[in-house]
C-alpha cells in the first residue's frame, strides 16, 4: 500500500479500491487529501497545482464523540 501511482492512472482507481481503504492524493507542493475513488476529483480551492500522484491507504477508524448532556431543567 506504500506504492505511489502517477495521477494519470486515476481512471483505474475503481479497480484499485479495497474495502476499508481510501486514496491519498498529493500535489506538487506536497499538499495531500484523502478521498474515495470518484470519476472527477475536485481538489481544494487552495491547491496551487493539480494532483500529481496517489496511493491507497487504510481508512482511519471513525472517531466517536461523547454523548450529548441532558438539557438543564430550571
Amino acid at each position: 500500500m506504500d506504492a505511489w501511482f502517477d495521477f494519470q492512472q486515476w481512471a483505474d482507481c475503481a479497480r484499485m479500491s479495497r474495502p476499508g481503504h481510501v486514496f491519498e492524493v498529493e500535489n506538487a507542493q506536497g499538499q495531500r487529501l484523502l478521498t474515495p475513488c470518484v470519476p472527477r476529483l475536485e481538489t481544494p480551492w487552495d491547491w496551487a497545482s493539480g494532483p500529481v500522484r496517489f496511493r491507497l491507504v487504510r481508512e482511519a477508524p471513525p472517531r466517536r464523540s461523547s454523548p450529548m448532556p441532558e438539557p438543564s431543567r430550571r
Side-chain angles (χ1 to χ4, degrees):
M1 284 191 248
D2 298 349
W4 286 95
F5 298 95
D6 188 278
F7 196 75
Q8 290 183 359
Q9 295 179 321
W10 183 250
D12 295 332
C13 69
R15 184 181 54 78
M16 298 176 188
S17 294
R18 301 284 180 268
H21 292 76
V22 293
F23 290 97
E24 181 178 22
V25 179
E26 185 178 62
N27 71 1
Q29 284 76 35
Q31 294 172 299
R32 297 180 178 178
L33 68 89
L34 296 175
T35 182
C37 177
V38 291
R40 185 164 167 87
L41 180 66
E42 292 188 28
T43 58
W45 63 270
D46 61 344
W47 275 28
S49 68
V52 294
R53 64 184 190 162
F54 69 99
R55 67 179 175 176
L56 191 64
V57 296
R58 187 171 302 278
E59 189 171 19
R63 292 187 345 210
R64 307 279 184 219
S65 60
S66 301
M68 300 250 333
E70 292 289 325
S72 62
R73 298 175 192 205
R74 295 183 182 200

